[in-house]
Amino acid sequence: MSTHTHGGRTPEATRIHNIGYRHYDGPRLGRAYARRSLYSQSLRGAFGLGRSAKSKVLPMILLGVMCLVAAIIVAVAVATPNMTDLPLEYTRYAIVMQALITLFLAAQAPQSVSRDLRFKSVPLYFSRPIERVDYVLAKFAAMASAVFLLTATPLVILYLGALLAKFDFADQTKGFAQGMVSVALLSVLFGGIGLVLAAFTPRRGFGVAAVIATMTITYGAVSTVQAIAWETGSSGAIQWLGLFSPVTVIDGVQTAFLGATSAFPGGEGPGTGAGVVYLLVVLALVAGSYGVLMRRYRKVGL
Amino acid sequence: MIATESLSKRFPRVTALDRLSLDIGPGVTGLVGANGAGKSTLIKILLGLSPATEGRAAVLGLDVATKGGEIRERVGYMPEHDCLPPDVSATEFVVHMARMSGLPPTAARERTADTLRHVGLYEERYRPIGGYSTGMKQRVKLAQALVHDPQLVLLDEPTNGLDPVGRDEMLGLIRRVHTDFGISVLVTSHLLGELERTCDHVVVIDGGTLLRSSSTKDFTQTTTTLAVEVTDSDTHPDGTAALRAALVAAGLQVHERTEDGLPGAGHILLLEATGEETYDVVRDAVADLGIGLVRMEQRRHHIAEVFRPEAVQAMEVQAR
């Protein structure tokens, strides 16, 4: 600015140097680096890091509660004599805590994608080396990673607690590994669904509502119909009904393949045959989410 | 900087660009066209984001069809619309955008501080963007386009929504992007008058075809319109008509059309100014008639005026 260039006779002490424009000749790290940066920024953002203090409150409370409950379970297991196993299976933890996970997803998925859409920042990304596929992959991976951190951290606490309580090592390790695979699947599935819903509701409030509604209504409906089926004695239908809500789909997969006890009425989870269908549904939903997101962003280029 | 060769873009129902051939050199170039003239389509193609139906285009010597990523690494883009999230500070936002352009974290922070200072944002850069004025937001938008030190920036309607003072500041800033930073600029506008003062070169497109491409000097000579408003006097009850007669007699080209002036005053005469001497002729004519001169001002052209048949004809005559 011209106000910065003072005449040559200005006293040395009061002179403001105008260093002028400097060109940048350092490295340009390109597309892969930009994608990684977007991933880490989005992942940190999901926990409010690098954002305002206010936005840290909710994710941190949710993470805290997830860990606290695990710590209480561990405390109970360690303090109670003659216990040989944790009072709650690793695979069961996320199912029991699903309300918190839904809340986290509902708050953070819109934060991650709705802002860019609502305030039309997306074209700024696509006018840079980064491309649509990079943007979608980075956002998807970041959301899945955030849900994974939220769901896997308490499992680690449970596992460490179980080792501390000197429960059978092989048993616990197997259960822990199964639990980790299960929450990994859950994270990718939930992340995808959350982002798709958020990407179609640029107004953040609606995005939050859409995610909560989708998760709780489908789960509520499936559980209710399953309970009716159980009461009316048509227990064969129960295992197929589970396909219609994200939580029960994960429950079905882990019942069939990951040694989990089904949370369905009467423990009527799918067997291996039906389990394959469950797994295919999970994979189809994940691939579908990715496809829908790619389509969504084709329209919002420049 | 930019070269296109019979570049066409056709959508199912519309032809956005029709065999457009351009050759734009370094400096500040204005791209003028009415809404729908194909400006945005051209920018999209130049950034390698939309394939051309036929023809070729190169930016900085890189083919847009195959080297889109490399082009976008070296080119900055400032969109016309709002694109800033309100809940982060200018610094945070521009640092993020610098990293999206491939700058390492430390460089991104340094370049952000530098660039924001150059566009005239100081202490306020740490406050959330939501509280900024339109002028400040435009500066942030410009900063994010410059932060990675591009060789060329594409600015889409950068003066939109600004008040006259903000407009002048932004135009001055754009001029400096070239003179002080050494970055070439392609700036779009639908206001020709605005670009006259900022650009070295103006390209006019309409309906996807090139209407005219010339240096600003040639352009303004044929297009400056003077608006003159005079009072009536006892000897000349209709001052406007008297002045018109006098000016036509003096050989000036006076438009048939007049505009309404201030209440109580007469009409406003519009005439073509061909050079400095036109002003003198008007001044002398008014003085000879003994009427009062209320105002004499340069009209900012709306692009539509340039395309009025007589204006286009005048251009052609001038070109010969």
Side-chain angles (χ1 to χ4, degrees):
Chain A
M1 296 256 99
S2 58
T3 50
H4 275 221
T5 28
H6 284 237
R9 292 185 188 279
T10 321
E12 200 62 32
T14 60
R15 181 182 295 178
I16 300 168
H17 286 283
N18 179 4
I19 44 178
Y21 186 81
R22 288 180 296 178
H23 283 284
Y24 175 74
D25 42 20
R28 292 173 193 267
L29 304 176
R31 194 176 152 187
Y33 163 82
R35 187 173 52 212
R36 280 199 308 279
S37 299
L38 182 59
Y39 167 78
S40 65
Q41 193 246 13
S42 306
L43 178 55
R44 286 161 48 84
F47 291 97
L49 302 173
R51 293 167 59 209
S52 65
K54 210 172 62 184
S55 43
K56 292 182 180 65
V57 176
L58 182 67
M60 287 306 178
I61 286 179
L62 292 176
L63 183 63
V65 173
M66 287 292 283
C67 293
L68 185 70
V69 173
I72 291 171
I73 293 174
V74 165
V76 170
V78 173
T80 315
N82 303 329
M83 267 194 124
T84 55
D85 200 356
L86 290 168
L88 190 68
E89 285 178 64
Y90 292 103
T91 44
R92 198 62 193 277
Y93 194 82
I95 306 292
V96 174
M97 304 298 276
Q98 57 164 299
L100 292 189
I101 304 170
T102 299
L103 212 53
F104 179 84
L105 189 69
Q108 304 311 322
Q111 184 288 125
S112 183
V113 294
S114 305
R115 283 172 71 245
D116 285 347
L117 287 167
R118 169 137 190 239
F119 302 114
K120 297 185 187 150
S121 316
V122 180
L124 297 185
Y125 288 96
F126 296 155
S127 64
R128 296 184 144 75
I130 200 163
E131 298 205 358
R132 187 157 53 105
V133 54
D134 302 311
Y135 183 88
V136 169
L137 278 180
K139 287 288 182 188
F140 200 146
M143 198 65 240
S145 304
V147 178
F148 184 72
L149 274 178
L150 182 79
T151 48
T153 313
L155 295 193
V156 173
I157 294 175
L158 286 179
Y159 181 59
L160 293 178
L163 296 185
L164 200 69
K166 300 210 164 31
F167 296 151
D168 183 62
F169 179 77
D171 226 30
Q172 293 301 322
T173 307
K174 185 168 170 240
F176 175 62
Q178 288 171 331
M180 290 302 260
V181 173
S182 157
V183 294
L185 266 183
L186 177 142
S187 304
V188 178
L189 178 66
F190 277 38
I193 293 174
L195 289 183
V196 165
L197 291 171
F200 281 94
T201 44
R203 293 196 74 102
R204 191 172 156 181
F206 293 141
V208 172
V211 174
I212 292 183
T214 306
M215 290 295 178
T216 55
I217 291 174
T218 54
Y219 179 73
V222 166
S223 303
T224 309
V225 179
Q226 278 181 331
I228 293 169
W230 174 246
E231 288 299 326
T232 54
S234 43
S235 53
I238 292 179
Q239 61 166 331
W240 297 115
L241 288 168
L243 285 169
F244 295 97
S245 105
V247 180
T248 51
V249 170
I250 292 295
D251 191 73
V253 170
Q254 62 182 12
T255 304
F257 301 109
L258 298 168
T261 312
S262 179
F264 292 178
E268 295 279 344
T272 312
V276 171
V277 178
Y278 271 72
L279 194 59
L280 287 177
V281 167
V282 170
L283 296 179
L285 281 172
V286 169
S289 305
Y290 173 76
V292 170
L293 284 174
M294 285 298 281
R295 273 186 71 86
R296 174 72 177 100
Y297 283 96
R298 192 169 61 193
K299 293 238 168 91
V300 291
L302 290 193
Chain B
M1 285 284 152
I2 299 171
T4 70
E5 209 181 294
S6 56
L7 191 68
S8 298
K9 178 74 181 180
R10 294 193 193 88
F11 297 107
R13 255 173 257 154
V14 196
T15 299
L17 292 178
D18 192 11
R19 292 187 297 278
L20 183 67
S21 294
L22 284 176
D23 192 2
I24 296 174
V28 183
T29 305
L31 178 63
V32 191
N35 291 336
K39 288 176 293 180
S40 309
T41 309
L42 180 60
I43 286 183
K44 258 193 236 183
I45 294 176
L46 293 180
L47 285 169
L49 296 172
S50 167
T53 314
E54 62 188 49
R56 287 186 308 161
V59 176
L60 306 171
L62 299 163
D63 191 332
V64 295
T66 53
K67 300 274 174 65
E70 283 174 58
I71 290 172
R72 293 196 297 276
E73 203 166 70
R74 294 179 176 82
V75 173
Y77 167 65
M78 172 179 173
E80 175 184 359
H81 53 73
D82 286 335
C83 56
L84 306 172
D87 55 347
V88 295
S89 70
T91 299
E92 288 171 82
F93 184 71
V94 177
V95 167
H96 179 55
M97 282 302 147
R99 298 186 61 171
M100 290 301 109
S101 289
L103 265 58
T106 317
R109 276 192 296 278
E110 285 172 9
R111 286 280 319 167
T112 298
D114 271 12
T115 312
L116 286 174
R117 184 169 54 81
H118 280 300
V119 300
L121 280 173
Y122 302 96
E123 291 313 309
E124 55 270 35
R125 66 179 188 265
Y126 301 114
R127 293 206 312 263
I129 296 172
Y132 289 10
S133 67
T134 310
M136 281 158 72
K137 283 183 188 164
Q138 290 298 91
R139 285 162 195 261
V140 180
K141 281 165 64 177
L142 181 61
Q144 66 79 30
L146 294 172
V147 69
H148 54 297
D149 189 27
Q151 287 163 257
L152 169 73
V153 279
L154 309 176
L155 312 177
D156 203 354
E157 305 272 356
T159 55
N160 246 11
L162 296 177
D163 60 25
V165 177
R167 229 161 237 272
D168 286 344
E169 284 175 358
M170 179 52 74
L171 291 172
L173 202 49
I174 291 168
R175 192 67 220 159
R176 282 192 345 113
V177 169
H178 175 59
T179 54
D180 295 5
F181 310 171
I183 298 170
S184 287
V185 181
L186 179 70
V187 49
T188 75
S189 179
H190 52 266
L191 297 169
L192 184 58
E194 204 171 82
L195 296 181
E196 288 172 2
R197 295 182 293 139
T198 320
C199 301
D200 307 315
H201 200 90
V202 173
V203 172
V204 183
I205 59 173
D206 189 42
T209 55
L210 180 66
L211 209 67
R212 190 184 163 91
S213 168
S214 62
S215 83
T216 315
K217 214 172 147 224
D218 303 345
F219 217 102
T220 51
Q221 275 180 351
T222 60
T223 58
T224 308
T225 299
L226 274 187
V228 181
E229 183 177 358
V230 291
T231 57
D232 302 330
S233 70
D234 292 337
T235 38
H236 298 288
D238 186 351
T240 311
L243 180 63
R244 175 191 292 278
L247 292 178
V248 170
L252 291 186
Q253 202 183 5
V254 183
H255 295 204
E256 286 299 315
R257 188 167 66 89
T258 56
E259 291 176 8
D260 285 328
L262 292 172
H267 296 295
I268 296 176
L269 277 182
L270 297 172
L271 53 111
E272 293 297 324
T274 47
E276 291 295 313
E277 63 279 6
T278 308
Y279 297 81
D280 298 340
V281 173
V282 174
R283 180 200 59 203
D284 295 343
V286 171
D288 289 348
L289 291 169
I291 50 181
L293 182 59
V294 180
R295 67 168 126 178
M296 173 160 72
E297 63 186 13
Q298 274 191 19
R299 268 296 147 87
R300 296 223 169 141
H301 274 282
H302 196 272
I303 191 66
E305 287 177 49
V306 181
F307 299 138
R308 280 200 326 272
E310 73 264 37
V312 174
Q313 259 170 23
M315 271 189 242
E316 282 164 359
V317 169
Q318 201 77 20
R320 268 181 217 134

